[in-house]
Amino acid sequence: MGNNLNQIGLDAGQAGELSEKLNVLLANYQLFYMNARGFHWNIRGHKFFELHLKFEELYNDSLIKIDEIAERILTLGLTPLHTYTDYSRASKIKEAKNVTDPIQGVREILRGYGVLLPLERELLELSNKANDEGTNALMSDYMPEQEKSVWMYSAFLNE
Ligand SMILES: [Fe+2]
């Protein structure tokens, strides 16, 4: 541990590293969120009512997490990304445009989790090393919840 502590007693360098990665998670989550909104609006077909609601639940939950991630970055003493330009630049999840097929929508969601979960696992490891219990707790809340969602969306696809 260095002796350069930030305001909440974490190593400043490690807090910087954590914030950087949290910003990447934030950016990906924003794209994940907007994609879920698009699916909520645009999907068509006989699964409409079921998935229209599911995607709404998902984007509402994403909004809460987005806010938590951004405010964790501020708590660590740094600035969350907050522009569309930065989000699309930093996000590995890409914009899903004009998705009307429910199966494709669910596949995109699963692909999104495939990006979010490994990022969170990296953050879990990093926050462990930094003794950053706040970030650690956030990640260990998100991960089992999202892993369960992966199971459920996969079951929906029967894949
Ligand atoms: Fe709606």
Side-chain angles (χ1 to χ4, degrees):
M1 281 295 186
N3 45 18
N4 183 17
L5 300 182
N6 72 3
Q7 266 192 316
I8 58 169
L10 288 174
D11 179 85
Q14 285 176 317
E17 251 182 277
L18 279 155
S19 296
E20 230 168 88
K21 206 168 266 300
L22 280 165
N23 261 323
V24 175
L25 181 64
L26 176 65
N28 276 283
Y29 235 119
Q30 292 281 15
L31 274 281
F32 185 78
Y33 162 80
M34 192 51 86
N35 286 347
R37 286 219 82 127
F39 306 152
H40 167 77
W41 289 328
N42 298 321
I43 50 144
R44 306 183 60 83
H46 67 282
K47 296 283 187 205
F48 175 82
F49 289 105
E50 190 181 339
L51 283 180
H52 179 70
L53 281 179
K54 221 356 124 193
F55 292 141
E56 179 169 354
E57 195 182 297
L58 187 62
Y59 73 64
N60 282 331
D61 177 76
S62 300
L63 266 190
I64 294 168
K65 290 184 167 66
I66 283 165
D67 199 51
E68 286 173 344
I69 297 164
E71 291 184 354
R72 187 65 204 164
I73 295 167
L74 287 157
T75 303
L76 289 170
L78 290 108
T79 308
L81 298 178
H82 51 274
T83 63
Y84 285 122
T85 315
D86 284 339
Y87 289 146
S88 62
R89 201 174 289 147
S91 178
K92 205 172 150 191
I93 296 175
K94 293 303 166 202
E95 292 169 345
K97 198 173 169 183
N98 292 333
V99 175
T100 55
D101 174 33
I103 300 299
Q104 196 193 334
V106 171
R107 283 215 178 98
E108 292 286 349
I109 294 298
L110 281 169
R111 232 195 305 274
Y113 280 129
V115 174
L116 297 175
L117 278 163
L119 267 173
E120 288 162 7
R121 222 174 290 284
E122 284 173 35
L123 273 158
L124 193 74
E125 202 186 324
L126 212 59
S127 55
N128 253 328
K129 274 190 214 148
N131 281 323
D132 172 6
E133 183 54 27
T135 302
N136 204 262
L138 219 50
M139 295 307 113
S140 49
D141 280 351
Y142 291 178
M143 290 173 52
E145 199 185 297
Q146 294 167 346
E147 286 163 354
K148 190 172 178 179
S149 295
V150 168
W151 156 52
M152 289 183 162
Y153 282 111
S154 304
F156 177 89
L157 291 179
N158 199 17
E159 279 169 0

